[in-house]
Amino acid sequence: WLSTHRDLGYLEHDRFVPVKGLGGGLIRSIAEDADANLWIASEERGLFRVSISTGQVDRSPWTDLKH
């Protein structure tokens, strides 16, 4: 997984593949849980959960998390 100012994505066959719905910006961390979800902490946009199996992206703004 890679983050640029404009996109966040992954490498496939030596090509960068951006994930729609994530954008870029300052990403503080990326982690995978036991259910194969990626958790992505964006400083500006909040916490994202990406289902690796379905590609679904859910966003929780920091204000919703009382941060």
Side-chain angles (χ1 to χ4, degrees):
W1 289 90
L2 303 166
S3 176
T4 69
H5 282 351
R6 293 185 335 187
D7 294 307
L8 187 132
Y10 56 93
L11 292 177
E12 185 174 274
H13 305 291
D14 294 328
R15 293 187 57 165
F16 180 73
V17 178
V19 175
K20 292 183 181 184
L22 292 177
L26 185 56
I27 302 298
R28 291 292 185 181
S29 62
I30 301 172
E32 184 177 347
D33 67 19
D35 295 323
N37 294 303
L38 281 181
W39 293 89
I40 300 163
S42 166
E43 184 169 292
E44 297 90 10
R45 301 183 65 216
L47 184 64
F48 291 86
R49 183 187 65 82
V50 179
S51 171
I52 294 174
S53 61
T54 67
Q56 179 178 335
V57 176
D58 298 312
R59 177 180 168 250
S60 298
W62 293 123
T63 53
D64 288 359
L65 300 171
K66 309 289 190 245
H67 189 278

